[in-house]
Amino acid sequence: MTSVAIDRVFNFSAGPAVLPEPVLRRAQEDIWNLAGTGIGILEHSHRGKAFGAVLEEAEALCRKVGNIPDNYKVFFMQGGATSQCYLVPANLLGQGKTADYFRTGKWAKDSVKEARFYGTAHVCYDGEPDNFRHLPTPDEISHSDNPVYVHFTSNNTIMGTQWAEEPACPDGAFLVSDACSDIFSRPIDFTRYGLVYAGAQKNLGPSGTSLVVVREDLLENPPRELPMMQSYKLCAEKGSMPNTPPTFGIYLMGRVFDWILSEGGLEEMERRNRAKAELVYGALDATSEFFECHAREDSRSLMNVTFKTGDPELDARFVAEADTNGMNGLKGHRSVGGMRASMYNAFPREGADQLAQFIRDFAQKNG
Ligand code: PMP
């Protein structure tokens, strides 16, 4: 179970975010001297044996954590998840073809915009009218006639909404998920997807590196010629190394995968994340005359809890007082306002407990 180091605060940042303490301790050692080589992980050639082993292990552990079938390619890319907004359609959407997009927040909006460089982006649900407070029920969804794929954001980091399960996908299409902010926070059935991508900086590691998992048949006939660094096919063929890869990011993700497995895997991650979220939502529901959640109850995220008092000055006071009480990073995104408590896999339960108590005390003092 978690133990909390006394020289660290509770970090509620949405990302880059808290990482598992044993992983950081081990990284301290490996930065100095990786596996007795006398060279640190930051200094090893990506072509050498030591890094080769790191990369191989990271991929193998990723497959094990996610129970990823053999007919899926797993690789690591640079450029963060925003690059995936254009890489997905560039690699998978032919000119004149249509893909369906769930427009459920800022990152989904970006994906819609970028898809238009390559084909037609059909918005099959638009959450903007209620400022993205909820995810659609089946009657709110209207698919295009023949989409190549259906893109959705499994967890909307800014809005604090999360799909309870994948949306249904029309026959002949495949699902693409931006899983940046909830990858490996709960079990995931990759056979239901064509492609899943995630920037590392929430549940997996440092920023700048992305994980891509894609069904291999989708890479067979790219719809267009692409520059080298934009090609999934090339990146898969070159084993994540079309150029010098983000070696430290890949190393750290490997350590985080190892940590997930040693803690009991994705079922255990989900159990913990659910328990933490219930503590905080429980406190918010108990003080609902004072605090309001941004997300509708049926769409609440276990990763990012968004809430406010309705008074920007009080919100600012909440954030400042929480900070002086050892809880950092609670300011909400400007498009939603108020507060946001991000509690990814590595976030300790003690922090959720402390925030829940702080919410109750704050409401009592100021209500
Ligand atoms: N998608 C989601 C759901 C995100 O939360 C983020 C970053 N917060 C991104 C995409 C963009 O990631 P990056 O900054 O790594 O490009």
Side-chain angles (χ1 to χ4, degrees):
M1 214 32 235
T2 28
S3 67
V4 185
I6 52 165
D7 57 348
R8 286 169 61 88
V9 300
F10 291 123
N11 175 11
F12 288 91
S13 165
V18 60
L19 287 165
E21 286 183 12
V23 169
L24 295 176
R25 296 284 185 208
R26 168 77 183 268
Q28 284 179 319
E29 289 168 23
D30 291 345
I31 282 175
W32 185 245
N33 183 347
L34 179 74
T37 56
I39 298 173
I41 175 62
L42 295 167
E43 307 159 297
H44 266 288
S45 162
H46 62 295
R47 300 281 171 208
K49 243 172 130 174
F51 181 72
V54 165
L55 177 58
E56 203 177 300
E57 189 186 23
E59 183 188 326
L61 291 172
C62 180
R63 286 184 178 279
K64 198 163 172 197
V65 170
N67 194 21
I68 299 172
D70 288 345
N71 65 325
Y72 282 70
K73 296 284 187 195
V74 173
F75 51 89
F76 306 97
M77 295 186 90
Q78 306 184 42
T82 304
S83 298
Q84 299 298 326
C85 296
Y86 75 87
L87 291 172
V88 168
N91 283 276
L92 301 174
L93 186 61
Q95 219 69 36
K97 299 276 171 96
T98 299
D100 287 4
Y101 279 79
F102 285 96
R103 200 165 170 276
T104 54
K106 140 94 177 133
W107 310 105
K109 283 192 327 194
D110 287 352
S111 290
V112 171
K113 274 194 219 147
E114 304 266 288
R116 292 186 182 140
F117 290 121
Y118 300 97
T120 302
H122 166 80
V123 174
C124 57
Y125 166 74
D126 188 358
E128 187 135 28
D130 79 341
N131 197 16
F132 305 106
R133 294 174 81 102
H134 79 281
L135 295 171
T137 48
D139 57 308
E140 293 175 296
I141 301 168
S142 68
H143 285 294
S144 64
D145 286 342
N146 197 12
V148 176
Y149 62 79
V150 175
H151 177 283
F152 75 108
T153 311
S154 53
N155 183 78
N156 294 278
T157 324
I158 292 174
M159 308 305 159
T161 61
Q162 184 177 26
W163 291 81
E165 57 186 52
E166 300 88 358
C169 190
D171 284 348
F174 57 87
L175 274 182
V176 172
S177 173
D178 170 353
C180 276
S181 48
D182 68 352
I183 183 89
F184 292 167
S185 68
R186 57 184 177 181
I188 169 170
D189 178 0
F190 280 94
T191 64
R192 304 189 64 171
Y193 295 85
L195 185 141
V196 176
Y197 64 86
Q201 68 267 29
K202 293 140 195 334
N203 267 328
L204 304 181
S207 58
T209 305
S210 298
L211 169 68
V212 178
V213 180
V214 57
R215 218 175 63 210
E216 61 189 0
D217 61 288
L218 298 174
L219 304 185
E220 273 161 21
N221 298 304
R224 58 180 61 79
E225 245 192 301
L226 287 170
M228 201 164 64
M229 290 302 291
Q230 297 181 5
S231 165
Y232 285 153
K233 188 165 192 278
L234 188 75
C235 196
E237 281 168 4
K238 300 273 185 188
S240 303
M241 296 214 288
N243 70 332
T244 313
T247 53
F248 183 70
I250 293 170
Y251 155 81
L252 208 80
M253 283 164 101
R255 301 287 18 113
V256 170
F257 298 145
D258 186 55
W259 174 81
I260 292 174
L261 290 169
S262 72
E263 295 290 305
L266 298 186
E267 280 83 9
E268 176 62 12
M269 291 298 123
E270 179 173 22
R271 193 191 64 72
R272 292 182 192 180
N273 290 328
R274 208 167 273 290
K276 289 180 285 183
E278 274 167 14
L279 281 170
V280 176
Y281 284 120
L284 290 169
D285 289 341
T287 55
S288 59
E289 72 296 337
F290 191 79
F291 289 109
E292 187 198 353
C293 289
H294 180 71
R296 202 170 77 180
E297 198 165 343
D298 61 358
S299 305
R300 285 176 173 180
S301 165
L302 301 185
M303 300 279 98
N304 314 96
V305 181
T306 46
F307 59 103
K308 57 179 151 195
T309 63
D311 173 352
E313 266 179 39
L314 260 187
D315 289 345
R317 197 181 327 147
F318 182 100
V319 172
E321 283 183 19
D323 196 31
T324 51
N325 282 281
M327 291 175 283
N328 184 261
L330 282 163
K331 190 172 186 306
H333 189 272
R334 61 192 173 282
S335 60
V336 174
M339 282 70 75
R340 171 174 53 175
S342 300
M343 297 181 291
Y344 301 113
N345 285 350
F347 188 86
R349 185 193 161 99
E350 291 85 339
D353 254 327
Q354 187 168 317
L355 177 62
Q357 192 54 49
F358 186 79
I359 286 169
R360 290 175 205 271
D361 293 348
F362 193 88
Q364 200 181 23
K365 208 164 67 184
N366 297 284

